[in-house]
Amino acid sequence: MKLHQGWRRLTPYGLVLPSVIVMCLIMLYPFVKTVEFSLRDYTLYSSHRPFVGLANFAKVMKAEWFGVVFKNTLAWSFWSMLFQMIMGLSVALFLHRPIPGARVVRSLVLLPWVMPGVVVSTIWPMLLSPLFGPVNDALLRLGLIQEPITFLGNIRTAMPSVISANVWSGFPFWVLMVTAGLQNIPDELYEAAAIDGANKWQQFRYVTLPHLSLILNITAVLSFIWSFNNLTLIFVMTKGGPLYFTRTMPLQIYFSGFQQHQIGQASALAVITFVFIAVAVFSYLRMTRRQEM
Amino acid sequence: MNMMHQAKFGVRLLELVGVAVILFISLFPFYWMVSSSLKPAKEIFASPPTWIPSEITFENYRNLLSSGPNFARYFLNSAIIASGTVILTLIFAIAAAYAFSRYRFRGNKPLSLGFLATQFFPLTVVMIPLYMTISRLGLYNSYLGLIISYLVFALPLAVWLLIGVFESIPKELEEAAIVDGCTRAQALWKITLPLSSSGIAAVAIYVFMLAWNEFILALVLTSEDSMRTIQVGMASFFDQYGTRYDLLMSAGTLTSIPVVILFFFMQKQFVRGALAGAVKG
């Protein structure tokens, strides 16, 4: 009997163990390795990989491209997040009104979000093509431009163009989150506000917004992190070009590691990325904690 | 009275315009992809472009499937890898989530929170050593190598979703079945799993889409043409042929069909999965 109970106590560990093992093997172990590599002089063909302390960090942070790449990453993540929010919030608020067919529209709006990133990154270059793209054609017909614009090849328009593609593929997530948030606001609050003489704008300002603020904060952090980590769109559309004008941190890690075989420096960049993301996630977890209370 | 009618009509009209704008923004890129894929190739490369195909033809699809790139093979690879990931993830996640939701044991909380924390772990941070680990395990250029990598990136969300699902099903049902002579495993198999089927379906869809759509790992962990997934195939296509939009748009349409179908059939579960993942995660 006692033996039997002893085994029973081990059951939950047995059930959790396979997941823990693969997580350690595929996530934790490589992460420890990344940290280790970042402290070593490690290029692909070096058989001897001496410990060099923080030399890799110093080297990448002094590199002329570091500031540019970091700025690109922040710009790409921030503007993507902001425009996704503006679009997602307006669409969700608009469709929350009693409009015939709102439910169908709400589900059609989610479609861009389920599209594979690679497909998004092949549609957009075609839409923006200077020769046979509809965007240039429309702008020309409307007389807004005289010459077609090479959106993805021009140093001034490349970043806004890849951000547009990212906004298109990411705004539906905001619609989803904000809609869920709106549905959680009790109708009585609006009725009470209306009785107190609040007009539509005041109802929005003093009832809707305060109730949405938590969900907006959470979604903002999530969408910032997702864009920050997203490598696919830029990788396929511009490869970081023209020159380095759309090169972001994940892309730089890929290039340094897999093309230039600077494993040590790429790992240092990865650690820097990790610290940055960890701070963002930490602030995010603190927000959800507050929600539970 | 008349004024009120007019005002109401004005509001309706504005709403209609709003709906039209929203649908245009969300769907026009699709329309352009699908309609281009059905245009004769030389019309795709006409400048200025035609906004409506002058004739509908499937020649691009025929060219895509018959010409150089091994498109059918990529499609099959993706289907195998995504299905394999779903099956493996469900097995691992059901076991773990069941333990977290039904057993009190030391380490329950920290372990389940540990899973939660890995949800936003940036792939690029572990990409290089992961490539080395997978190579050392002899899984480079194999289905299994990609499947277990995707498993790890799908597990946190799957486990968290399923903990919620299992906790919503009363323990007493299982206990009653055990009193009636079922073993614990039978109770799980016959009572809890069938009752959680819609939650499990949500997880399955979410994981399938994640694996079907993933690009970077598939790029890093395979090199042979015969092992490419559809996403890597399309991207290399884009690099190789530059602006062969005739082939790209038909490939893109075919690649999107499975996710669009899944999305429409299982939309409720999908939205539930996405929301729970984001809010919990």
Side-chain angles (χ1 to χ4, degrees):
Chain A
M1 195 67 194
K2 223 174 181 170
L3 187 74
H4 187 66
Q5 276 203 333
W7 279 113
R8 292 240 328 239
R9 202 171 310 155
L10 287 179
T11 320
Y13 294 105
L15 290 171
V16 173
L17 198 63
S19 298
V20 172
I21 291 175
V22 289
M23 296 298 284
C24 289
L25 184 69
I26 303 295
M27 196 101 86
L28 200 62
Y29 175 71
F31 176 63
V32 172
K33 278 292 181 193
T34 297
V35 177
E36 188 205 317
F37 293 163
S38 74
L39 302 172
R40 288 183 184 279
D41 180 13
Y42 186 172
T43 53
L44 187 67
Y45 304 105
S46 54
S47 51
H48 176 62
R49 295 158 190 165
F51 183 78
V52 291
L54 297 177
N56 285 321
F57 290 87
K59 214 178 274 172
V60 295
M61 286 167 101
K62 265 191 234 133
E64 49 180 338
W65 46 258
F66 184 82
V68 182
V69 169
F70 203 76
K71 224 180 70 200
N72 283 344
T73 316
L74 289 182
W76 152 260
S77 318
F78 176 77
W79 293 114
S80 298
M81 186 262 288
L82 189 73
F83 284 108
Q84 285 174 3
M85 178 175 79
I86 293 171
M87 269 181 75
L89 189 62
S90 4
V91 169
L93 285 170
F94 180 76
L95 293 176
H96 194 58
R97 303 159 48 85
I99 295 172
R103 270 184 48 185
V104 181
V105 178
R106 223 180 287 149
S107 74
L108 285 173
V109 158
L110 296 182
L111 262 183
W113 194 51
V114 299
M115 290 297 271
V118 174
V119 175
V120 174
S121 353
T122 51
I123 301 178
W124 277 77
M126 182 173 192
L127 293 176
L128 299 173
S129 157
L131 285 175
F132 18 83
V135 174
N136 270 306
D137 187 43
L139 292 175
L140 283 168
R141 277 171 205 252
L142 293 170
L144 293 173
I145 53 173
Q146 261 64 52
E147 293 280 311
I149 301 171
T150 317
F151 284 103
L152 289 170
N154 185 313
I155 57 171
R156 275 205 303 273
T157 51
M159 185 55 104
S161 303
V162 286
I163 289 175
S164 308
N166 193 25
V167 169
W168 182 74
S169 85
F171 87 92
F173 179 68
W174 281 86
V175 178
L176 204 74
M177 294 291 281
V178 174
T179 303
L182 287 171
Q183 283 164 353
N184 279 336
I185 304 175
D187 286 336
E188 294 84 54
L189 288 178
Y190 290 106
E191 286 159 18
I195 290 170
D196 289 343
N199 62 28
K200 283 275 176 223
W201 163 251
Q202 286 166 329
Q203 288 178 25
F204 175 74
R205 173 70 189 78
Y206 295 105
V207 179
T208 313
L209 264 191
H211 274 86
L212 282 184
S213 72
L214 181 75
I215 241 175
L216 291 180
N217 283 331
I218 291 174
T219 315
V221 177
L222 278 177
S223 87
F224 185 88
I225 295 174
W226 279 338
S227 292
F228 195 103
N229 290 336
N230 184 323
L231 174 50
T232 306
L233 290 184
I234 294 181
F235 187 94
V236 179
M237 279 198 279
T238 64
K239 292 268 183 304
L243 303 173
Y244 44 74
F245 279 85
T246 59
R247 197 192 295 170
T248 59
M249 203 57 99
L251 202 66
Q252 183 65 48
I253 295 174
Y254 179 87
F255 284 152
S256 301
F258 286 97
Q259 289 187 345
Q260 298 159 351
H261 306 298
Q262 296 285 347
I263 313 282
Q265 292 181 32
S267 301
L269 287 173
V271 171
I272 294 171
T273 303
F274 176 80
V275 171
F276 191 88
I277 293 292
V279 171
V281 171
F282 182 70
S283 64
Y284 165 74
L285 285 178
R286 268 185 53 175
M287 275 190 274
T288 37
R289 189 73 41 85
R290 222 185 308 147
Q291 175 195 34
E292 276 163 17
M293 279 158 51
Chain B
M1 202 63 193
N2 205 2
M3 281 252 300
M4 237 172 90
H5 264 297
Q6 266 180 0
K8 220 171 183 178
F9 179 75
V11 170
R12 280 268 167 276
L13 196 70
L14 272 180
E15 285 175 354
L16 210 66
V17 172
V19 166
V21 170
I22 291 172
L23 285 181
F24 179 80
I25 292 173
S26 326
L27 300 182
F28 181 75
F30 285 104
Y31 165 76
W32 199 262
M33 172 176 76
V34 177
S35 72
S36 299
S37 76
L38 296 169
K39 284 177 188 172
K42 64 174 187 298
E43 194 181 331
I44 295 182
F45 299 105
S47 184
T50 52
W51 288 62
I52 296 164
S54 65
E55 68 174 295
I56 301 263
T57 162
F58 287 94
E59 74 174 61
N60 299 324
Y61 290 89
R62 270 195 299 276
N63 289 341
L64 174 72
L65 295 173
S66 63
S67 74
N70 222 339
F71 195 75
R73 179 63 194 253
Y74 305 157
F75 205 90
L76 180 73
N77 288 343
S78 277
I80 292 172
I81 291 167
S83 318
T85 308
V86 170
I87 294 167
L88 209 63
T89 306
L90 283 183
I91 295 172
F92 279 65
I94 285 174
Y98 189 77
F100 285 133
S101 70
R102 286 291 192 269
Y103 291 89
R104 287 163 146 232
F105 58 98
R106 197 185 295 223
N108 184 326
K109 256 265 122 71
L111 265 180
S112 58
L113 281 176
F115 272 98
L116 172 84
T118 57
Q119 161 111 42
F120 296 108
F121 207 81
L123 168 63
T124 36
V125 170
V126 292
M127 195 163 58
I128 294 166
L130 177 58
Y131 157 79
M132 295 172 181
T133 310
I134 292 288
S135 304
R136 204 159 304 148
L137 291 170
L139 296 175
Y140 186 66
N141 267 328
S142 75
Y143 291 140
L144 195 60
L146 276 176
I147 289 174
I148 65 168
S149 309
Y150 291 164
L151 164 71
V152 167
F153 286 92
L155 255 182
L157 180 95
V159 169
W160 270 87
L161 266 171
L162 286 173
I163 289 177
V165 171
F166 289 152
E167 276 174 356
S168 71
I169 293 163
K171 255 184 180 168
E172 290 74 32
L173 288 177
E174 270 177 56
E175 280 159 11
I178 291 170
V179 170
D180 287 345
C182 276
T183 63
R184 188 143 200 152
Q186 281 172 329
L188 168 68
W189 186 251
K190 287 187 179 153
I191 311 260
T192 309
L193 286 187
L195 285 173
S196 350
S197 57
S198 91
I200 293 175
V203 175
I205 292 168
Y206 203 86
V207 174
F208 185 91
M209 289 201 184
L210 187 135
W212 182 268
N213 291 354
E214 206 284 331
F215 168 63
I216 297 297
L217 275 175
L219 176 75
V220 170
L221 298 181
T222 61
S223 60
E224 269 169 38
D225 186 62
S226 65
M227 285 309 298
R228 276 180 179 162
T229 66
I230 202 162
Q231 310 299 343
V232 179
M234 267 194 75
S236 70
F237 224 50
F238 190 62
D239 288 345
Q240 253 175 312
Y241 302 94
T243 48
R244 280 301 296 276
Y245 288 117
D246 51 335
L247 300 179
L248 278 168
M249 292 301 113
S250 36
T253 306
L254 290 179
T255 308
S256 314
I257 286 174
V259 278
V260 171
I261 290 177
L262 267 183
F263 175 70
F264 275 115
F265 275 94
M266 317 285 289
Q267 203 196 333
K268 231 160 103 201
Q269 284 90 335
F270 176 75
V271 166
R272 194 172 119 187
L275 274 179
V279 174
K280 285 250 170 85

